[in-house]
Amino acid sequence: MVLAQLGGSISRAIQQMSNATIIDEKVLNECLNEITRALLQADVQFKLVREMQTNIKKIVNLDDLAAGHNKRRIIQQAIFNELCKILDPGKPSFTPKKGKPSVIMFVGLQGSGKTTTCTKYAYYHQKKGWKPALVCADTFRAGAFDQLKQNATKAKIPFYGRYSFDNLLDILSAFENLEIDEFYTESDPVRIAVEGVETFKKENCDLIIVDTSGRHKQEAALFEEMRQVSEATNPDLVIFVMDSSIGQAAFDQAQAFKQSVSVGAVIVTKMDGHAKGGGALSAVAATKSPVIFIGTGEHMDEFEVFDVKPFVSRLLG
Ligand code: GDP
């Protein structure tokens, strides 16, 4: 079974090794180096690959391999298990309970698919009988509120948000001599988040999803804003949304988020693309949190519960 799950280059490396007449350390090392290359190409962090290599060498007994039987199975099993182990942080994430209000905060870089994922997550639960609601606390990106509003309306999910002062400025810049600051808007994401959460708690929503800003630049300001939103809304779970194509940058990025807010779960988006998603291993290692869902397309229902085995086989493919 494991053989079928192992992908092309890895299978080839193992095949080559098991064809060798004598399996000595050199042959095993060559095989492991080949596997390392494949995993690096799949964006698994170098450090994790090295650790895995060391662990496999400890597990795989050369005498067993030399005995001639089950060589392939022993190595395959070891690789597969090691990768699954990296994806298991050892504790499950917070699981919301139907009928009891939970606040779920989403964080991630701009473009990672955060806003789309918020709606997918809400829609997924709504179909299972939950009463979700969406709060747009992203006052930075022009259009963020409109995007969430549009998605939420389509899915018939209640939403809360306001246009920010800056966004309104853009709209009104077409008019001359206008006293813009007389207009009331709200650009404080913390205030919006708190208002939204309070509103939906009163409405007995059991899954209150807070979408935060994910600006690219001004990183320090982004992390401070996230920290404040988290402090003010006291989320039961913070979900880090990561684009599967982020590559080797995944570890540092996930770590930076974890250092600001208490990330408790990971969602990997755009798994329908070319990327194998090896960055997910880094995100798990950096946040010590499990991957809970994957995004597999732009549509609301292209969202799946994370399943470690198919994910690892794709990684090795
Ligand atoms: P945000 O800036 O992090 O809020 O990102 P958005 O939610 O606006 O998503 C950025 C782009 O990625 C949009 O064009 C989305 O349609 C797209 N997107 C999000 N998730 C997925 C996914 O799982 N697969 C694909 N193919 N596209 C996605």
Side-chain angles (χ1 to χ4, degrees):
M1 185 190 85
V2 181
L3 178 63
Q5 288 168 339
L6 284 177
S9 36
I10 309 269
S11 289
R12 266 195 310 280
I14 295 167
Q15 180 79 51
Q16 262 167 23
M17 186 204 69
S18 53
N19 284 345
T21 9
I22 302 164
I23 311 272
D24 55 11
E25 201 159 352
K26 185 168 164 277
V27 176
L28 178 63
N29 280 343
E30 273 167 16
C31 171
L32 290 177
N33 286 341
E34 193 63 38
I35 291 162
T36 299
R37 267 194 290 280
L39 290 175
L40 289 175
Q41 265 169 26
D43 294 332
V44 181
Q45 194 199 20
F46 185 68
K47 187 170 156 275
L48 291 175
V49 178
R50 285 299 293 271
E51 279 168 15
M52 191 197 81
Q53 208 169 8
T54 314
N55 288 347
I56 288 179
K57 276 194 192 166
K58 273 189 218 148
I59 298 162
V60 173
N61 184 330
L62 279 173
D63 292 337
D64 286 350
L65 294 180
H69 45 256
N70 287 340
K71 289 174 211 164
R72 224 181 288 175
R73 203 185 59 78
I74 292 166
I75 307 263
Q76 281 161 359
Q77 198 70 59
I79 296 166
F80 205 80
N81 292 349
E82 280 304 305
L83 290 172
C84 292
K85 228 164 67 186
I86 299 174
L87 281 162
D88 177 10
K91 61 174 171 50
S93 79
F94 166 82
T95 319
K97 299 215 169 31
K98 209 187 272 181
K100 185 177 175 287
S102 295
V103 176
I104 315 289
M105 178 175 159
F106 278 67
V107 299
L109 281 190
Q110 189 169 316
S112 60
K114 191 169 38 60
T115 302
T116 311
T117 307
C118 283
T119 323
K120 285 178 172 182
Y121 184 82
Y123 184 66
Y124 173 88
H125 285 90
Q126 189 191 45
K127 279 193 299 184
K128 292 187 177 297
W130 294 67
K131 209 179 154 201
L134 291 159
V135 179
C136 177
D138 179 354
T139 53
F140 181 79
R141 179 162 68 90
F145 175 46
D146 278 331
Q147 187 189 345
L148 191 88
K149 194 166 126 187
Q150 214 171 45
N151 292 346
T153 309
K154 218 191 292 172
K156 298 194 175 58
I157 295 165
F159 62 91
Y160 187 92
R162 307 254 206 102
Y163 288 103
S164 77
F165 184 69
D166 289 343
N167 293 351
L168 200 68
L169 269 183
D170 288 343
I171 297 166
L172 297 179
S173 60
F175 301 93
E176 279 176 25
N177 306 322
L178 203 63
E179 289 296 322
I180 294 166
D181 47 7
E182 285 176 9
F183 285 83
Y184 177 70
T185 57
E186 181 56 69
S187 33
D188 178 3
V190 180
R191 197 163 150 184
I192 296 178
V194 170
E195 284 174 0
V197 169
E198 289 311 316
T199 303
F200 292 129
K201 273 188 179 165
K202 280 191 202 125
E203 292 178 13
N204 294 323
C205 293
D206 50 11
L207 205 58
I208 305 167
I209 298 159
V210 181
D211 186 13
T212 59
S213 155
R215 70 197 72 165
H216 265 303
K217 296 193 180 100
Q218 295 162 286
E219 287 229 317
L222 161 70
F223 289 126
E224 176 54 22
E225 181 178 307
M226 253 170 29
R227 204 189 52 71
Q228 286 179 14
V229 171
S230 171
E231 210 172 271
T233 57
N234 194 19
D236 297 281
L237 176 65
V238 178
I239 300 179
F240 171 61
V241 177
M242 191 198 88
D243 184 332
S244 61
S245 63
I246 180 106
Q248 292 290 328
F251 189 90
D252 290 346
Q253 199 190 97
Q255 195 174 46
F257 277 90
K258 176 77 177 183
Q259 278 163 358
S260 300
V261 284
S262 130
V263 173
V266 177
I267 294 182
V268 185
T269 63
K270 309 185 192 177
M271 284 301 291
D272 50 311
H274 294 303
K276 298 247 173 76
L281 279 74
S282 309
V284 171
T287 62
K288 300 185 176 51
S289 311
V291 181
I292 52 171
F293 286 97
I294 55 167
T296 55
E298 294 195 58
H299 295 289
M300 214 165 321
D301 55 358
E302 287 173 317
F303 193 58
E304 293 171 16
V305 172
F306 176 74
D307 188 356
V308 68
K309 284 185 178 165
F311 186 89
V312 169
S313 14
R314 177 191 158 111
L315 198 66
L316 296 169

